[in-house]
Amino acid sequence: KAKFARSICLSGGWAAMFGTKLAASLSLASSIPLPVKLNNVSVTVAGIAAPLLFVSPAQVNFLVPYEAAIPANSSQCHGLRPCSPDVL
C-alpha cells in the first residue's frame, strides 16, 4: 500500500497532485515526449507547463520541469475547475 506525505519536489522528478474533479475521466499518456495537456488537464509549476503521465478525477501525475526554480512556491492544475489540490 502506497503512502504519501508532503515533500519538496525536485526539478526533473515525479510528483503527484491529489484533489477532486481534476479531470473528467482517467487518461494515460501514450507517447514520448509526454504531453503538457492530457484529457483537457494541464499543470504548471512556477509558471512552467509540466509534462503529464496520468490524469484522473482524483489524481494527476506529472514531471516537475527541469526549468522550475526549486522550491517552487506555486503549482496549479487547470482542468474541469480551478483547483488548489495537494501536491506530493
Side-chain angles (χ1 to χ4, degrees):
K1 184 175 183 180
K3 294 183 180 181
F4 297 94
R6 287 186 181 266
S7 62
I8 295 175
C9 298
L10 300 175
S11 294
W14 290 103
M17 184 177 285
F18 299 90
T20 57
K21 298 183 181 177
L22 299 177
S25 61
L26 183 134
S27 188
L28 183 63
S30 61
S31 64
I32 301 288
L34 294 173
V36 294
K37 191 167 193 175
L38 186 60
N39 198 14
N40 232 9
V41 174
S42 63
V43 172
T44 58
V45 179
I48 301 167
L52 304 175
L53 177 64
F54 169 85
V55 300
S56 74
Q59 181 176 341
V60 175
N61 292 5
F62 61 96
L63 189 60
V64 178
Y66 285 100
E67 304 84 5
I70 301 300
N73 60 1
S74 65
S75 295
Q76 295 183 348
C77 177
H78 308 277
L80 290 179
R81 64 185 175 98
C83 54
S84 297
D86 291 329
V87 177
L88 304 172

